[in-house]
Amino acid sequence: MATQHFLTLLFFILLSCNTLTTISSSSSSEKEDTFDFIRPINPKLLGLNKKEKLSHLRFYWHDILSGKKPTSIKIIPPSLKLNTTTSFGLVNMFDDPLTLGPQLSSKLVGKAQGFYASASQDDFGLLMAMNLAFIEGKYNGSSITIMGRDLIFDKVREMPIVGGSGIFRFARGYALATTKWFDPKSYDAIVEYDVYAQRNLLSTGIRHALITSQDAEEISLSTHTSKTS
């Protein structure tokens, strides 16, 4: 009887050891897989430092739906299943010019490329998603990405900056949109944008394809700039 109890105890001890070994091995494997997927790195490897720059950019967004060469086109019509006055479900894709002044003939500083969609059944609230792709001066090739809610009949709308590229890599901040002109027949519009972008300055020793300077001068479309540490 004693021998039987001893063998039973030994069996459970061996089983427990095997279970612990399996769990440990699985945990180690998961750590290795996680390490392969994501791991911390030194920010200096990307040329980042603690200095940041806050830039204010002002330009005009021209959304043109009329004429022979519209810059904004409807790609999805509003749903016919819902009796709504807000065109819920409507989606427009655009490649709109950004100019220094409110006139379309003003100096071109970039393009706004993206889409807006009617996302509200109760008011005229658009989901706005766009890249502000600049072509002027040292900002040429750099972009700021904005995604947010645009209540088009509000005097001023605020939308967040969710990122950027080139000089605006790691950008954050917000944009204020103010409609300066709107045609109720064609739906053409001119919107003034005030964009406040906070970005990390890049170390001089790092050179990326789209970055030509650590601290590029603000081009003419930037009206206010300040440095923070």
Side-chain angles (χ1 to χ4, degrees), residues 1-8:
M1 181 66 74
T3 303
Q4 184 178 357
H5 284 304
F6 174 76
L7 291 175
T8 302

Side-chain angles (χ1 to χ4, degrees), residues 9-169:
L9 179 61
L10 181 61
F11 170 76
F12 280 111
I13 291 175
L14 291 174
L15 181 62
S16 299
C17 289
N18 182 63
T19 302
L20 290 173
T21 302
T22 303
I23 293 174
S24 177
S25 177
S26 175
S27 177
S28 177
S29 177
E30 288 179 1
K31 286 182 179 180
E32 290 179 0
D33 291 343
T34 303
F35 180 79
D36 289 339
F37 172 65
I38 183 170
R39 59 185 176 184
I41 64 171
N42 189 335
K44 292 182 180 179
L45 294 176
L46 296 180
L48 301 178
N49 56 46
K50 293 182 179 180
K51 292 183 178 180
E52 292 187 325
K53 189 167 190 176
L54 175 63
S55 299
H56 173 202
L57 301 95
R58 176 176 292 164
F59 46 79
Y60 293 84
W61 180 86
H62 300 264
D63 196 46
I64 305 169
L65 291 83
S66 64
K68 295 181 179 179
K69 293 184 178 180
T71 62
S72 178
I73 60 171
K74 183 191 301 181
I75 59 172
I76 300 177
S79 175
L80 297 177
K81 295 181 179 180
L82 298 173
N83 183 19
T84 174
T85 59
T86 64
S87 298
F88 180 67
L90 170 74
V91 179
N92 266 48
M93 190 70 68
F94 59 83
D95 182 20
D96 289 342
L98 303 175
T99 61
L100 189 59
Q103 297 79 21
L104 185 57
S105 59
S106 182
K107 183 177 182 179
L108 184 71
V109 295
K111 289 287 195 75
Q113 299 169 331
F115 68 89
Y116 51 79
S118 178
S120 174
Q121 298 186 55
D122 303 317
D123 51 27
F124 290 93
L126 302 181
L127 166 64
M128 180 74 76
M130 64 179 171
N131 292 317
L132 304 174
F134 301 111
I135 61 171
E136 174 64 16
K138 300 219 176 151
Y139 287 88
N140 184 24
S142 297
S143 66
I144 291 175
T145 301
I146 291 174
M147 184 173 182
R149 188 183 188 212
D150 187 357
L151 292 170
I152 58 176
F153 289 125
D154 283 4
K155 184 177 180 180
V156 180
R157 292 88 69 190
E158 179 180 335
M159 290 170 281
I161 293 173
V162 297
S165 67
I167 288 176
F168 292 107
R169 191 172 287 151

